[in-house]
Amino acid sequence: MLDIWRLVVAPNPVLDDVVRDGLLVQSAQASRLSSLMGLPLSVVVLVVMTANGAAPGQAIAWTVLVLLVMLLYVGGVGRLVTHSPGRPYPARLLAFTVLQALGGIAWGLLPFMVTPVPGDSTIMSVAGNVITLAVAANAIFSSATPRPWVAFHLTALGVGSTGLIVHGELGVAALNALTLVAAFPLARYMFQQVAQARLVARHNGLLAEDLRAEREAVERVNLQLSEANTELRHQATRDPLTGLPNRTLFFDHLERSLRHGRRHHTPVAVIYFDLDRFKAVNDTLGHGAGDDLLIQVADRTQAVLRSPDLLARLGGDEFVVLTHDYDAGQGPQAATQVAERVRVVLAVPFDLSGNLVTVSGSLGVALDEPGLSAEDLVERADMALYRAKQLGRDRVCEYEPDLNWTLPAVES
């Protein structure tokens, strides 16, 4: 009990606009439902009035009054309070307070609507009890918003007590006056409970929103970091001009292919090629045309390779092809056939900004052998490439052991 009393006398909690508006809507909706109690209560009063010999006009007047006020109240609260979120809070609170006051006046008029039988205070006692019941119900349903609740209580008890005093029912009037005193701590306690619950729910909602926002921010940062890491990995392993794998990525694929081929006894070959007299294109048409040529070379070469083959650019006009996953019985001829397709497609003129340029390619082929490293295999293909240049360019040469001597320099 002491804890309840402390809550009753505690200062009102500080409410933000959202909580305050929620309490108003909650109180208004509950009051609309409680107003439907007027129907059974009016029936009880009607029965008591009839049993006590009340005039039919009094009973009809009471019933009509209850129905009119109930319809006015339900419709007004719905239109002006609960279903009008665009209206400012003070206007909605004022409308609810006025409607509550009208409801209290309607219930308080009950003693004026009946004529007691001389010497029999039954009907006045019933009228006083009905008012008390209406006040108690309003305290339960409307205490979430104190001002409208107080308006209903003051008008119901004030008007009702006046009517009882007029009929000489001072005791019942005094009892009704005590109802206000008794209902106040009850309504105050319920308001504190509901307001605190709303505040906790509001704070939890705000915390959840903050956590959700922080989680989304972390996810965005993680996504940006992931995209940045992907871009960095792409830049670290891709040629920026052609988008082809660079030296690092090519050797990574080559080493894995060599391990796989030696484990499963499948051949692996490297085709090393460059463009004949590429420097002349740069000198005559500019480096922009040279870059365009390299991009077209990459596109054409990829178009004639098999799906397992890998094309990479090592730098300048030097390209390498990793070819594998073909029948071991074909020997080096399979790799040479791939190289020949590349040579043929490179011989077709290139359109460089309206200038038709004819270049050719010199290609060297080297087949994997036991004990070779990835660097050794690429070096053998490079040696075969230089033999192709020595023999007049625009051709394919396979590596042979007699190439293991220093080759004379040849103009690209």
Side-chain angles (χ1 to χ4, degrees), residues 240-303:
L241 177 63
T242 62
L244 295 175
N246 61 10
R247 179 183 295 271
T248 301
L249 184 57
F250 173 78
F251 273 96
D252 179 67
H253 279 277
L254 177 57
E255 290 172 354
R256 285 191 281 124
S257 296
L258 290 176
R259 290 194 297 268
H260 179 273
R262 292 166 184 174
R263 186 182 306 115
H264 297 280
H265 306 288
T266 57
V268 177
V270 170
I271 303 170
Y272 201 127
F273 71 94
D274 67 5
L275 303 180
D276 299 325
R277 298 183 176 86
F278 173 70
K279 183 175 181 299
V281 175
N282 275 336
D283 292 342
T284 56
L285 299 179
H287 289 281
D291 290 345
D292 189 13
L293 175 60
L294 294 175
I295 294 172
Q296 293 188 43
V297 167
D299 293 339
R300 285 192 186 182
T301 303
Q302 285 186 304

Side-chain angles (χ1 to χ4, degrees), residues 13-239:
V14 179
L15 308 178
D16 61 16
D17 293 340
V18 174
V19 174
R20 187 178 59 179
D21 188 80
L23 290 174
L24 175 61
V25 173
Q26 174 184 337
S27 180
Q29 291 174 338
S31 296
R32 293 181 70 194
L33 294 176
S34 69
S35 66
L36 299 178
M37 293 180 59
L39 291 176
L41 284 177
S42 63
V43 172
V44 172
V45 174
L46 186 60
V47 171
V48 173
M49 291 173 65
T50 303
N52 283 269
Q58 293 178 344
I60 294 174
W62 165 253
T63 303
V64 171
L65 176 64
V66 169
L67 291 176
L68 287 177
V69 172
M70 186 181 65
L71 291 175
L72 176 64
Y73 185 84
V74 172
V77 171
R79 183 176 181 83
L80 301 177
V81 183
T82 59
H83 297 158
S84 57
R87 291 171 59 89
Y89 175 82
R92 297 164 67 197
L93 178 62
L94 177 61
F96 188 34
T97 303
V98 171
L99 289 171
Q100 283 280 75
L102 291 177
I105 292 173
W107 286 105
L109 286 176
L110 177 58
F112 291 99
M113 303 295 293
V114 297
T115 301
V117 178
D120 187 357
S121 61
T122 302
I123 193 167
M124 285 294 103
S125 297
V126 171
N129 290 333
V130 167
I131 295 174
T132 302
L133 182 59
V135 169
N138 191 262
I140 294 173
F141 288 102
S142 305
S143 57
T145 310
R147 189 181 301 175
W149 172 82
V150 171
F152 181 90
H153 277 54
L154 290 179
T155 53
L157 293 176
V159 176
S161 297
T162 301
L164 292 172
I165 293 174
V166 169
H167 290 294
E169 298 292 338
L170 299 180
V172 179
L175 182 62
N176 274 350
L178 290 175
T179 302
L180 176 61
V181 179
F184 175 77
L186 173 62
R188 175 77 174 169
Y189 171 75
M190 295 183 65
F191 168 71
Q192 294 279 6
Q193 291 282 68
V194 174
Q196 290 292 350
R198 281 272 181 172
L199 277 176
V200 171
R202 172 64 172 164
H203 292 161
N204 289 340
L206 293 175
L207 179 60
E209 290 180 3
D210 291 340
L211 291 176
R212 183 167 54 252
E214 291 180 2
R215 184 173 64 250
E216 291 175 353
V218 171
E219 291 175 352
R220 285 194 300 269
V221 171
N222 289 336
L223 179 60
Q224 293 172 355
L225 290 176
S226 177
E227 293 175 347
N229 287 335
T230 301
E231 181 63 22
L232 289 175
R233 285 195 300 268
H234 185 273
Q235 294 176 359
T237 58
R238 295 283 172 170
D239 173 51

